[in-house]
C-alpha cells in the first residue's frame, strides 16, 4: 500500500532534491564537499567518549571500590557499557559465499588491477550473495571485504562490471570504511541506548512497566532519539557525497560509457527481478543468470530512456544514504568524458564467470528458493 503523501513528506522531498542538485553541482565543478563528513565525525565523537567513560568508570569502581554499593554500581556501568558498546569488529553476513582466490585468480587479479589504479589496497576477501547489490564492508579489525550480488553481476556487461568494481573499490580508496567503522559504530551505540531506555520495547523490561518508570525514562530516551536522528540526517548527507565520489572512481576505471551502463542497470531492477522470478518458477528451470542477462540485453535505447524518466520521479528524502540514480547519471555525464583505464573483454569476462560458476550457482539457488517458497 503506498505511503500517504503528507505535507511533511513533500517538504522533505523538495529539500532533498535541492540538496542533491547542489551536491552534484559542487562535485562536478571540483568544489569542496567535506563539511558533512566532518560534521558527522564531530557529532559521533561524544558518543564514543560516553562509551569510554562508562567502561572506565565501571573499571575504576570495581578496582577502587570498598563496598557492595560501589561494586554494584561498577557492575551496572560495565553492563550498560557492554550492551551499548560500539561494534567496530567487521563481521560476515551469513548468506555470503566466500570466493577462494586460488579458485578465481582472474577475478582476484581484476579487482587488484582496479585497486592499483585507484591507489588503494585490494579487498582481503571477495564474496558473493543473492542480492541485486554490491558493497564493501569491514572485516575483523583492519580487513576489508567486497560482496558482489550474483543477480547484479549477471546483469552487467563486461565493462559495466569494471564500473561496478570501480565504484566499490572507490569507497575503499576514499576512506569510506573509516566512516563506516567510526560513524556507523556510534550510530549502533545510540540505537542500543534508545532500546535500553524503552521500557515497552527493550528486552531488559520483560513485563509491564509502571507508569512512573516510563515517565522517568521518556525524557532521556527522547533526547537520545533526537540525537540519533540528527546523526542520521548529517551522515546521510555525507553518505550521498561518498556515493558520488565512488561514481567518479567508477568512470575513471571503466570509462564514462561503462559507468553510465552500470548505473542504468540499476534503473531496470524491476525488470531484472521479474525475469529472475519467471525463470525461478518455470518448470524447465532455466538458468537464472542467463535469464537475467538476456532480459538486460533486450532493453533498447527507448526503454532505457523510459527507465530514466521513471527514475526521475523516485522518492527523495534527506535521510537517504544514496542519491537518486538520475542525479548520479547527471554527475557522470556532466564531467569530462574519460576512456576506460581497465578493460574487460568478453572472453575474459566469460572465463571469470566460469571460475565463479559454483559460487554463482549456489547464490542463484538461494535466490530461486526465495522466489519459489515465499513465506
Amino acid at each position: 500500500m503506498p505511503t500517504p503523501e503528507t505535507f511533511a513528506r513533500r517538504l522533505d522531498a523538495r529539500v532533498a532534491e535541492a540538496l542533491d542538485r547542489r551536491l552534484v553541482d559542487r562535485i562536478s565543478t571540483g568544489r569542496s564537499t567535506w563539511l558533512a563528513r566532518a560534521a558527522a565525525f564531530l557529532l559521533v565523537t561524544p558518543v564514543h567518549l560516553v562509551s569510554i567513560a562508562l567502561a572506565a568508570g565501571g573499571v575504576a569502581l570495581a578496582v577502587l571500590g570498598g563496598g557492595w554499593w560501589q561494586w554494584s554500581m561498577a557492575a551496572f556501568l560495565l553492563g550498560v557499557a557492554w550492551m551499548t558498546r560500539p561494534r567496530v569488529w567487521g563481521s560476515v553476513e551469513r548468506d555470503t559465499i566466500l570466493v577462494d582466490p586460488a579458485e578465481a585468480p582472474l577475478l582476484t587479479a581484476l579487482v587488484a588491477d582496479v585497486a592499483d589504479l585507484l591507489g588503494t589496497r585490494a579487498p582481503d576477501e571477495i564474496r558473493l550473495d543473492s542480492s541485486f547489490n554490491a558493497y564493501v564492508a569491514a572485516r575483523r579489525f583492519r580487513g576489508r571485504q567486497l560482496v558482489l550480488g550474483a543477480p547484479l553481476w549477471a546483469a552487467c556487461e563486461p565493462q559495466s562490471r569494471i564500473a561496478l568494481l570501480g565504484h566499490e573499490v572507490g569507497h575503499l580508496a576514499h576512506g569510506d570504511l573509516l566512516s563506516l567503522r567510526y560513524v556507523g559504530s556510534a550510530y549502533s551505540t545510540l540505537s542500543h541506548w534508545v532500546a535500553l531506555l524503552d521500557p515497552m520495547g527493550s528486552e531488559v523490561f520483560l513485563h509491564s512497566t509502571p507508569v512512573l518508570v516510563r515517565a522517568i525514562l521518556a525524557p532521556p530516551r527522547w533526547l537520545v532519539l533526537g540525537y540519533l536522528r540528527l546523526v542520521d540526517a548529517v551522515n546521510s548527507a555525507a553518505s550521498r557525497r561518498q556515493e558520488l565520489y565512488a561514481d567518479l572512481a567508477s568512470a575513471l576505471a571503466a570509462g564514462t560509457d561503462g559507468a553510465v551502463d552500470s548505473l542504468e542497470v540499476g534503473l531496470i531492477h524491476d525488470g531484472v527481478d521479474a525475469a529472475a522470478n519467471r525463470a525461478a518458477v518455470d518448470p524447465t528451470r532455466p538458468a537464472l543468470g542467463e535469464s537475467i542477462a538476456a532480459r538486460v540485453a533486450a532493453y533498447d535505447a527507448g526503454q532505457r530512456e523510459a527507465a530514466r524518466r521513471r527514475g526521475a520521479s523516485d522518492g527523495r528524502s534527506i535521510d537517504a544514504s544514496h542519491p537518486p540514480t538520475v542525479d548520479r547519471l547527471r554527475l557522470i555525464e556532466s564531467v569530462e568524458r574519460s576512456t576506460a583505464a581497465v578493460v574487460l573483454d568478453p572472453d575474459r569476462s566469460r572465463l571469470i564467470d566460469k571460475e565463479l560458476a559454483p559460487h554463482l550457482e549456489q547464490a542463484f539457488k538461494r535466490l530461486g528458493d526465495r522466489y519459489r517458497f515465499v513465506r
Side-chain angles (χ1 to χ4, degrees):
M1 183 177 179
T3 305
E5 188 70 14
T6 63
F7 172 76
R9 288 185 179 277
R10 290 196 301 270
L11 179 62
D12 178 50
R14 292 291 295 274
V15 172
E17 181 178 10
L19 291 175
D20 286 339
R21 288 186 178 278
R22 180 175 180 272
L23 181 60
V24 170
D25 291 340
R26 290 185 68 87
I27 292 178
S28 64
T29 55
R31 286 178 287 176
S32 175
T33 59
W34 57 269
L35 185 59
R37 189 172 191 173
F41 272 68
L42 187 63
L43 275 174
V44 303
T45 296
V47 178
H48 290 301
L49 292 177
V50 168
S51 298
I52 293 172
L54 284 171
V59 170
L61 284 174
V63 173
L64 302 177
W68 66 268
W69 70 271
Q70 291 173 317
W71 293 328
S72 298
M73 183 59 69
F76 172 76
L77 291 177
L78 290 173
V80 171
W82 174 256
M83 286 187 288
T84 62
R85 69 193 183 280
R87 271 64 169 179
V88 297
W89 188 263
S91 59
V92 171
E93 293 292 335
R94 288 185 299 174
D95 62 347
T96 59
I97 304 160
L98 178 64
V99 177
D100 187 339
E103 297 176 356
L106 292 177
L107 177 62
T108 303
L110 183 63
V111 173
D113 288 344
V114 174
D116 288 343
L117 172 70
L118 299 178
T120 189
R121 178 167 55 90
D124 302 290
E125 293 179 354
I126 301 174
R127 294 176 173 271
L128 295 179
D129 69 7
S130 57
S131 68
F132 191 82
N133 192 19
Y135 62 91
V136 288
R139 183 73 174 99
R140 299 190 180 92
F141 188 66
R142 290 192 69 253
R144 39 178 63 175
Q145 57 181 315
L146 167 65
V147 181
L148 301 171
L152 180 57
W153 184 257
C156 288
E157 296 179 349
Q159 209 53 29
S160 300
R161 292 177 173 183
I162 297 296
L164 177 65
L165 297 177
H167 178 94
E168 299 307 330
V169 175
H171 282 301
L172 302 178
H174 298 143
D176 295 343
L177 276 193
L178 174 61
S179 296
L180 181 64
R181 289 184 186 273
Y182 192 72
V183 180
S185 60
Y187 188 91
S188 173
T189 293
L190 286 170
S191 298
H192 283 90
W193 270 106
V194 170
L196 193 64
L197 294 169
D198 180 9
M200 303 301 292
S202 174
E203 295 178 2
V204 175
F205 302 93
L206 299 179
H207 306 289
S208 58
T209 309
V211 175
L212 179 60
V213 174
R214 286 185 296 194
I216 292 173
L217 291 178
R221 180 174 181 270
W222 292 337
L223 179 64
V224 175
L225 186 59
Y227 200 79
L228 177 65
R229 289 178 175 171
L230 176 62
V231 170
D232 190 25
V234 172
N235 190 55
S236 292
S239 178
R240 293 195 295 273
R241 167 193 177 275
Q242 292 166 2
E243 291 300 324
L244 291 171
Y245 275 110
D247 286 334
L248 294 179
S250 168
L252 177 64
T256 299
D257 293 337
V260 167
D261 287 344
S262 177
L263 289 171
E264 286 185 337
V265 167
L267 287 174
I268 57 179
H269 168 261
D270 289 344
V272 170
D273 182 63
N277 196 342
R278 283 195 298 269
V281 299
D282 189 326
T284 64
R285 294 290 189 269
L288 264 66
E290 294 177 5
S291 299
I292 290 172
R295 184 67 186 94
V296 173
Y299 275 95
D300 57 27
Q303 291 173 312
R304 288 177 179 263
E305 185 60 34
R308 286 199 183 205
R309 289 195 297 270
R310 289 193 299 271
S313 62
D314 285 348
R316 296 173 183 262
S317 172
I318 58 174
D319 293 335
S321 61
H322 286 60
T325 303
V326 290
D327 284 353
R328 298 167 65 183
L329 283 164
R330 185 166 72 87
L331 172 65
I332 296 300
E333 292 172 339
S334 64
V335 298
E336 183 179 356
R337 286 186 60 83
S338 59
T339 56
V342 179
V343 176
L344 178 62
D345 60 77
D347 290 338
R348 189 181 179 196
S349 184
R350 282 191 290 271
L351 288 174
I352 290 176
D353 283 344
K354 186 176 180 179
E355 64 185 19
L356 288 178
H359 309 89
L360 289 170
E361 182 180 356
Q362 186 178 351
F364 282 128
K365 182 180 184 304
R366 293 178 182 176
L367 179 62
D369 288 344
R370 284 207 300 272
Y371 286 125
R372 287 187 289 269
F373 307 108
V374 178
R375 291 181 175 84

